[in-house]
Amino acid sequence: MNKALILCLSFACSVFAGNALAADDAKKAPSPAQQAQQERMKSCNKDAKDKALKGDERKAFMSNCLSGKTESAAPAAEPGTQQNKMKTCNKEAGDKALKGDERKKFMSDCLKG
């Protein structure tokens, strides 16, 4: 075979193998959002187990917990940080379906408190 062809093929194989390894490494490291969801899942599972929930009751609890509707799903970061206040206030405003000036006033009061 031609030495140039062999060289090109070996280079292509090494590049492909390098890209495949890089892709595997990227798959192994979860994104921050995935990490947060995994932590939420752990917390919700622990709380459901502590409460000895079974069947439909557990399903309902897990659904609410994973969607952030229970205390178990609270962020793991320090309470009282501005970011956590913003998340909490946004959630409350959304739950109350506040819009426009009413939402602005609520958010202002909530973030001050």
Side-chain angles (χ1 to χ4, degrees):
M1 271 186 136
N2 186 343
K3 287 183 181 182
L5 180 61
I6 293 172
L7 184 61
C8 284
L9 288 174
S10 64
F11 177 74
C13 288
S14 66
V15 169
F16 178 74
N19 286 342
L21 291 174
D24 286 344
D25 290 344
K27 288 179 184 177
K28 291 178 185 176
S31 70
Q34 289 171 326
Q35 288 175 333
Q37 184 65 14
Q38 288 171 352
E39 290 301 316
R40 182 178 290 161
M41 180 65 99
K42 287 178 188 176
S43 176
C44 293
N45 270 325
K46 182 183 179 309
D47 290 347
K49 184 177 180 180
D50 291 346
K51 293 177 181 184
L53 300 176
K54 305 262 185 212
D56 289 339
E57 189 177 13
R58 181 183 171 87
K59 287 179 187 176
F61 172 81
M62 290 297 289
S63 176
N64 287 332
C65 185
L66 292 172
S67 64
K69 296 178 184 174
T70 66
E71 292 177 20
S72 313
E78 296 177 24
T81 63
Q82 190 65 23
Q83 186 177 8
N84 285 341
K85 282 184 183 180
M86 182 65 99
K87 287 179 182 179
T88 302
C89 294
N90 266 325
K91 183 181 177 333
E92 288 180 33
D95 291 346
K96 294 178 180 183
L98 301 176
K99 305 270 186 208
D101 290 338
E102 188 179 15
R103 182 183 178 91
K104 287 179 187 176
K105 182 177 181 346
F106 172 83
M107 289 296 290
S108 176
D109 293 342
C110 183
L111 291 171
K112 287 178 187 174

